Amino acid sequence: MSCEVVNIPDEEEDQENNFKSEKLARMDSLAMEAGNVHGHTHHASRDTKDWYVMLRLAFQSIGIVYGDIGTSPLYVYASTFNDGVKDGDDILGVLSLVFYTLTFIPLFKYVLIVLKATDNGDGGTFALYSLICRYAKVGLIPSQQAEDREVSNFRLEVPSKSLKRATIIKSKLEKSNSAKFFLLFATMLGTSMVIGDGVLTPCISVLSAVGGIKAATNSMTQDTIVWISVVILVCLFMVQRFGTDKVGYSFAPIICVWFALIGGIGVYNFIKFDLTVVKAINPMYIIDYFIRNKKQAWISLGGIVLTITGTEALFADVGHFTVRSIQLSMCIVTYPALLLAYTGQASFLRKHHQDVGDLFFKSIPHGLYWLMFVVAVAASIIASQAMISGTFSIIHQSLSLGCFPRVKIVHTSAKYEGQVYIPEVNYLLMLACVGVTIGFKTTTKIGNAYGIAVVFVMTLTSSFVVLIMIMIWKIHIILVILYVVVIGSIELLYLSSVLYKFDQGGYLPLAFALILITIMYIWNDVYRRKYYYEQKNKVSTEMVKELAASTNFSRIPGLAIFYSELVYGIPPIFKHYMANVPAFHSALVFVSIKSLPISKVPVEERFLFLRIKPKDLCVFRCVVRYGYTDMRFEEEPFERLLVERLKEFIKGEMMVITTLTPSNRDTVSMELQEEFISSENESEDAKRIEEGSRHQEDVDKDIKAVERAVGAGIVHLIGETEIIAGKGSGLGKKVLINIGYNILKRNLRQTDKVIDIPHKRLLKVGMIYEL
């Protein structure tokens, strides 16, 4: 999908003052025959500088983003020391690994580097992909237009210096179809892993917290704990429909209490049991740990990596908040509290090696046990929210870019546009979580699966960030190499460790990813094939003129809006419609829906119109551009905006004509136009004034025709295409289209349900596409 944008000033007087003369030649990419009237302004970043709002969002983010990483102390040491503690210094080695892992990955990589790679405030794998798409032409659908780069949010703030290596890499990406497919595949894989993370996070967090009750009573069986966890999970997914805004304000106080308690208990244990664990800041303890334990130390990294579970939520959920609010909450609250908690647990463990299996609850002072149990259960429920919210955000992005089947997007906050809820995905996540919890029963196997999902996403994110560093940010190569050596080596080391446990539950996220990437590939592949088919078989404007001139066709009152995703031309389904219904409305607008690889397109830059001549047809083409987080198709606002922009376009047409003379269509500025006019004789001036008056009458006539059509009623026409493999297609193509794609389409929402078009004003046009 693609989109074009025109910003037309609201008043005719503004048009005259702000008219950009370099556009007078009217060479746009719709059909190389219509032009733009521009007057757009730059839009400020979504990252607000209002400290009150920023602090409020930082508070909210604690409840949404950090539940997952914040509850890691429940199970990290237990997962690391599966076979018990064999040497007291091993605790210092593990604490040192925890300290440097927390510092280098969440704090250094994500907070200081990756959050700078947001796409106008939105994060996630698709945000990184969109940045690369905007810098280099690596999209697989030929819907790019020159005007796309004039959208204010489309512009990238890049260093002015030109580096040869950046140019070389950009050129190779643009010329290689394999590289384009690989980037899209890597994006889909990252998306699939995030969704898999969203399934596993609730399972391990809730099971770990509820399992703590065994420390207080031996009568609680594992099956009982599993079913209690299932009930909690179902309740969690049921409240998602209330939205991130309400959920965040409900959860934030609980997580704040959680961080205060684990930090305070950490300080208490540190002072009471062993102050010497502070030595773990020395990385030599890591080296000694590996020397002593060799292969077992490497395997134990699969438990240590759980320290940073949920870190990707920092990036995936940034669209729900702002970059600065995430940075504040991480540096001031989350990071210090986690360091204190892990340090306190290490101090306790140095004196109580035997309690490593249930370390978290055993290390709690006796009088605080039940308080901590209740808060732990609440925090574990909230931990799930981080990845659930991230899943909603990333699916919303992939849907807009044609990489995910149609699902309903519900915007849950009028104040914060990035906050969304997807009913179908919510219920599928719930079923998957319940299935994993009942099937695995213990946190050990889930932890093995969890680690693979976490590290895979982080590694993919690093790969995209390195590409952005080189191509877009043009950072010095020494710094890029330093990033790869430090961050890349840490992540690859962890990845090798978690893959070792593939047969012990690690296969689960890869199975999830395989299913999801298959769905995404099928949908995206057929989506592209359909686009190319429509482009090849599009209806020419000449054919529309012939149809209108034919005596077999009649005009009926009303405005018809005919939707398609084809940017260049009129979709073939219109010809099919005219063959069966020999009439069309008094005003007709072909609306092409286009997604730009940016998060948001300003409303005033959203529409681009082209009139199909002759003028008395009252037929227009319109490209409507959206970003991948934009709210689409609120019925009345969209109709109203479309009609308003159409009338402004008609006025703009008149202005362009009246500011040009027949002898010179390429005037450079308004000043030069005035100079030219003053040099003409009076008869020429009088002729131009008369011509301008006539054009004004034509404009008034056209606007009244549009208003009459709107008054007679607006009807929405949508193509309901049946996609089948063409004759002579191979078996693989038939399976892909006839079985895979059509199963997805039959079981998902139809177009009119996704864009909320009322049934009483909807007309579907059926046609078979043989691809």
Side-chain angles (χ1 to χ4, degrees), residues 676-729:
F676 181 86
I677 292 170
S678 66
S679 67
E680 295 294 313
N681 57 42
E682 292 182 6
S683 61
E684 285 288 333
D685 289 340
K687 187 186 295 185
R688 292 188 71 249
I689 292 171
E690 181 181 347
E691 187 178 328
S693 176
R694 191 164 58 250
H695 284 310
Q696 182 61 55
E697 290 175 4
D698 290 342
V699 168
D700 293 339
K701 178 182 175 182
D702 288 345
I703 289 177
K704 286 179 181 177
V706 170
E707 289 174 345
R708 281 196 303 272
V710 173
I714 300 177
V715 62
H716 301 261
L717 292 95
I718 292 180
E720 194 63 32
T721 54
E722 182 180 347
I723 311 293
I724 61 173
K727 294 177 181 178
S729 298

Side-chain angles (χ1 to χ4, degrees), residues 58-203:
F59 174 73
Q60 262 192 288
S61 71
I62 293 173
I64 298 298
V65 176
Y66 302 111
D68 190 1
I69 192 173
T71 53
S72 295
L74 283 167
Y75 44 76
V76 166
Y77 282 110
S79 299
T80 303
F81 294 109
N82 281 325
D83 300 324
V85 180
K86 296 181 173 60
D87 189 307
D89 282 347
D90 286 351
I91 298 169
L92 295 179
V94 169
L95 178 60
S96 188
L97 279 166
V98 167
F99 171 73
Y100 284 105
T101 301
L102 275 174
T103 301
F104 279 114
I105 304 299
L107 193 64
F108 178 71
K109 174 188 169 181
Y110 279 90
V111 172
L112 298 182
I113 297 176
V114 175
L115 285 181
K116 293 182 181 297
T118 59
D119 180 19
N120 291 307
D122 283 280
T125 309
F126 267 98
L128 297 174
Y129 179 67
S130 74
L131 287 177
I132 297 170
C133 285
R134 280 154 59 192
Y135 183 76
K137 296 177 182 178
V138 295
L140 292 171
I141 294 178
S143 60
Q144 297 87 0
Q145 294 172 283
E147 293 87 349
D148 291 345
R149 296 189 176 276
E150 296 175 12
V151 180
S152 54
N153 287 351
F154 197 98
R155 303 185 187 107
L156 289 172
E157 294 182 5
V158 298
S160 57
K161 60 183 178 181
S162 177
L163 293 181
K164 186 176 181 180
R165 64 174 175 271
T167 306
I168 291 172
I169 293 174
K170 177 183 176 182
S171 176
K172 287 186 179 296
L173 284 177
E174 291 179 341
K175 292 177 182 178
S176 172
N177 278 330
S178 299
K180 293 177 182 179
F181 275 107
F182 178 77
L183 281 174
L184 182 62
F185 176 81
T187 304
M188 290 180 178
L189 180 60
T191 303
S192 302
M193 285 295 180
V194 169
I195 297 171
D197 211 354
V199 172
L200 297 172
T201 297
C203 303

